Amino acid sequence: MGIPRALLVLCIATAFLSLGPRGSLGRSHLRKKQQSHGRRGNGGHRLQSPVDSPADPPAAGTSTTVTPSNSSSDSFVFDVRSFGAVGDGVTDDTEAFRSAWRAACSVESATLFVPSDGVFMITSTIFPGPCQPGLVFQVDGVVMPPDGPQCWPKSDSKHQWLVFYQLEGMTLRGEGTIEGNGEDWWSLPCKPHRGPHGSTLPGSCDSPVLIRFFMSCNLTVRDLRIENSPQFHIKFDACEDVHIEGLSINSPAFSPNTDGVHIENTRSVTIYNSMISNGDDCISIGPGCSDVDIQNVTCGPGHGISIGSLGMHNSEACVSNVSVKNAVIRNSDNGVRIKTWQGGMGSVSDISFDTVYMENVRNCIIIDQYYCSNKGYCQNQSSAVYVSGVTYANIKGTYDVRSPPMHFACSDTLPCTNITMSEVELLPHEGELVDDPFCWNAYGVMRTVTIPPIPCLQDGQPESLQEIPNLGC
C-alpha cells in the first residue's frame, strides 16, 4: 500500500508543476498597462482590449474606478489625470486628453472622465471615431482653450476648437463647464463695430466654434454649462438623431456671432429644457435641416430663435418640419425669425411656433426675405427661398416699441403663403401700442383676432403663384 500511495503523491506533484508555467504564461498576457485599457469580464476582472478595436490603447496611462456623476457602474472609466493631465489651468493637457480618448474609444461602454477638481487647458483637437458603442465624454471639471487669439497656436485651426467626428451613439455630458475664453476674440477690430470709432475693419476674422459635431449620429449632449465662446457655442453639421437637454449656455449680450446652438445639414433633432443667453441667435437652424423639435427653452438676451440665414451666395436651402413649443424669449432683438437672402433657392415649410412667451422683445414675429449682413452691399435679385406653411399660435407677451412686433417682408417674385395666426397677443413693454405691423407680399389666414391687428396679411393665395415652383427640395 505504501508504494501506490507514493506514486499517487508523485503524480499529483508532477501535475501541479506542469500547470505552473501555463498559469504564468496566462498572466504574462495581462501586463499592468494593458490591463488598464480593457473591458470588465465576469466577476469584475479587467481584460485586455479587443484586438479589432478602432483605436489602439496608448502605452501609458491607467484606467480608474472613480465613478463620475450620472455614470453606470458597468462603464469603464478613463480619468484624464491617469494619462498625464495636470488640470492647473496653465499646463497644456492636450496630449493627455488625446491619449485618454484613444483608450476610451477602443472599449465598449467607456467613459472619458474630466474630474471636478481641475481646470484643464487644451488646444484645438479632433476626437475621431468610429468608436466602440456607448462612449461617454464626462466633463465634471472645467475644460478651456488657450486664452484668446494671441495665445492660440499658429499651427492650430482658428475655425474650431473641439471637434467630434464620425461618431455614433456618443454622449457629451457632465456637471462641469466648457469655458470658451472668448473675450479677446470678440474685441478683434474686424468684428462688427469693434474697430476705431465703432467701425468694422476689413480682413480675415476667423474665430473658433467652441464645440463641433461633424458627420455623426445618435448623439446626446446634456447637463453641461457652456460659456463665452469665441464664436458659435455648439454646432452640429451633417449629423442625424441629435438629442440636447439641460444645457446652460451663457455669454454677454455684446458678444458677436456667439449663437447658442447651431445646426445645419442635420436631421431629427430635439432641443429640450435648456437656457441660452448670448450675443446672437439663441438657436439657429441652417440649410438642410428637417424634423427639429424645440421645447421648454428659455432665450435671452440674444437674437431669438432663427431659421436661417438661408440662400446666401445664391445657394439652395431646404428646411422643413420645425416645431418650437413652450419657449420663453426675453430682452432680445428678435423673437421667432425666418431670414433668407435674395437670390437664394429652395424652401422653408411646415414650421410651427406654438406657446411662446415674449418679454421686451423687438421684432417678436418676423419673416425677412431681404436679409443682408452688410446693409447697402446686397443687390436686388429676383429668385428667393420659398416660405410656406408657417403657423404662429398662442404667441403672447410684450415687445420693444422701437420696432413693430410683427414684420412679414416677403419676396417680390415668390410670396410667403399659408401663414396662420392664432391667439397672438403682444403688448408694449413700455410706451404706446404700435398698431402698424409690416407686411409685404404675405398671404395667410387669421384664426383669431390678433393684438395688435394685422390687416396687411392677405387672404388666400396670390394670383402670381399659380403652381408651386420647382424648389429642388
Side-chain angles (χ1 to χ4, degrees):
M1 296 296 292
I3 292 175
R5 184 179 295 117
L7 288 173
L8 179 61
V9 170
L10 180 61
C11 290
I12 293 172
T14 302
F16 178 80
L17 291 173
S18 69
L19 288 173
R22 189 175 295 119
S24 299
L25 180 62
R27 287 193 297 271
S28 72
H29 285 288
L30 290 172
R31 298 190 192 99
K32 185 175 182 180
K33 290 180 182 178
Q34 293 178 338
Q35 181 182 4
S36 67
H37 302 301
R39 298 177 294 180
R40 290 191 186 277
N42 294 333
H45 297 293
R46 293 173 182 173
L47 307 179
Q48 188 177 353
S49 299
V51 175
D52 60 349
S53 61
D56 294 331
T62 58
S63 64
T64 175
T65 57
V66 174
T67 302
S69 62
N70 301 321
S71 74
S72 168
S73 59
D74 294 332
S75 64
F76 198 83
V77 181
F78 295 85
D79 188 324
V80 293
R81 278 213 172 99
S82 298
F83 293 82
V86 177
D88 61 1
V90 178
T91 304
D92 184 351
D93 289 323
T94 307
E95 288 307 317
F97 272 69
R98 290 173 178 169
S99 296
W101 175 265
R102 288 192 293 268
C105 180
S106 67
V107 179
E108 188 173 342
S109 299
T111 297
L112 187 155
F113 178 53
V114 181
S116 61
D117 59 348
V119 178
F120 300 87
M121 191 276 289
I122 65 175
T123 59
S124 179
T125 301
I126 296 176
F127 295 105
C131 294
Q132 294 291 337
L135 178 61
V136 175
F137 196 121
Q138 178 88 22
V139 179
D140 284 353
V142 177
V143 183
M144 66 181 188
D147 191 8
Q150 297 302 319
C151 299
W152 204 264
K154 292 183 178 179
S155 59
D156 283 3
S157 169
K158 288 186 177 180
H159 295 284
Q160 53 203 13
W161 178 50
L162 300 184
V163 181
F164 297 94
Y165 174 57
Q166 285 193 335
L167 294 164
E168 181 176 357
M170 180 201 155
T171 297
L172 173 63
R173 70 184 185 195
E175 298 178 351
T177 299
I178 297 179
E179 165 61 51
N181 288 335
E183 291 86 346
D184 289 344
W185 296 94
W186 307 331
S187 300
L188 291 173
C190 55
K191 297 288 185 178
H193 313 297
R194 295 303 197 276
H197 309 293
S199 64
T200 302
L201 297 186
S204 175
C205 207
D206 292 337
S207 300
V209 171
L210 200 61
I211 304 167
R212 182 189 183 200
F213 285 88
F214 182 48
M215 294 181 66
S216 298
C217 65
N218 191 18
L219 304 169
T220 299
V221 181
R222 62 179 306 141
D223 302 331
L224 280 169
R225 180 180 177 87
I226 307 171
E227 59 186 24
N228 299 320
S229 176
Q231 204 198 45
F232 295 175
H233 285 78
I234 186 165
K235 176 181 180 180
F236 296 86
D237 187 1
C239 295
E240 187 169 1
D241 293 327
V242 175
H243 179 64
I244 300 168
E245 184 159 7
L247 289 190
S248 174
I249 295 177
N250 292 278
S251 62
F254 60 80
S255 58
N257 306 121
T258 53
D259 292 28
V261 178
H262 176 77
I263 62 174
E264 61 183 68
N265 300 309
T266 294
R267 300 182 299 171
S268 300
V269 180
T270 59
I271 305 174
Y272 296 158
N273 305 315
S274 296
M275 301 186 68
I276 301 171
S277 60
N278 58 350
D280 211 300
D281 293 335
C282 169
I283 297 170
S284 55
I285 300 169
C289 292
S290 60
D291 303 326
V292 180
D293 186 27
I294 300 167
Q295 295 190 39
N296 300 317
V297 170
T298 298
C299 301
H303 294 179
I305 297 174
S306 291
I307 297 174
S309 61
L310 305 175
M312 186 179 183
H313 301 315
N314 304 105
S315 61
E316 180 182 277
C318 302
V319 175
S320 63
N321 194 22
V322 176
S323 172
V324 177
K325 190 170 185 178
N326 296 327
V328 175
I329 302 175
R330 294 190 174 103
N331 303 315
S332 296
D333 285 354
N334 303 286
V336 290
R337 175 169 60 158
I338 298 172
K339 52 182 178 177
T340 72
W341 295 73
Q342 293 186 74
M345 298 171 286
S347 71
V348 176
S349 61
D350 298 322
I351 312 298
S352 173
F353 301 106
D354 185 356
T355 312
V356 180
Y357 177 74
M358 310 276 186
E359 183 179 320
N360 192 28
V361 174
R362 294 183 71 177
N363 303 309
C364 295
I365 295 172
I366 177 170
I367 296 176
D368 181 7
Q369 295 211 266
Y370 300 87
Y371 179 77
C372 178
S373 58
N374 296 313
K375 300 299 183 184
Y377 292 92
C378 296
Q379 297 179 346
N380 290 327
Q381 299 186 60
S382 59
S383 63
V385 177
Y386 178 47
V387 177
S388 179
V390 185
T391 298
Y392 303 93
N394 198 27
I395 313 294
K396 299 181 180 182
T398 63
Y399 60 89
D400 185 326
V401 297
R402 289 178 294 173
S403 300
M406 289 175 273
H407 184 99
F408 296 124
C410 298
S411 167
D412 289 334
T413 56
L414 204 55
C416 303
T417 62
N418 298 319
I419 297 172
T420 302
M421 311 288 288
S422 175
E423 300 293 339
V424 175
E425 299 178 8
L426 297 167
L427 299 171
H429 184 72
E430 293 179 347
E432 297 182 358
L433 180 73
V434 178
D435 58 359
D436 58 346
F438 178 83
C439 301
W440 178 257
N441 226 10
Y443 290 80
V445 61
M446 289 183 290
R447 300 292 185 193
T448 63
V449 174
T450 64
I451 302 175
I454 184 167
C456 57
L457 182 65
Q458 302 180 67
D459 291 333
Q461 294 287 335
E463 293 182 3
S464 60
L465 195 65
Q466 298 298 324
E467 59 183 28
I468 302 299
N470 183 12
L471 304 172
C473 294

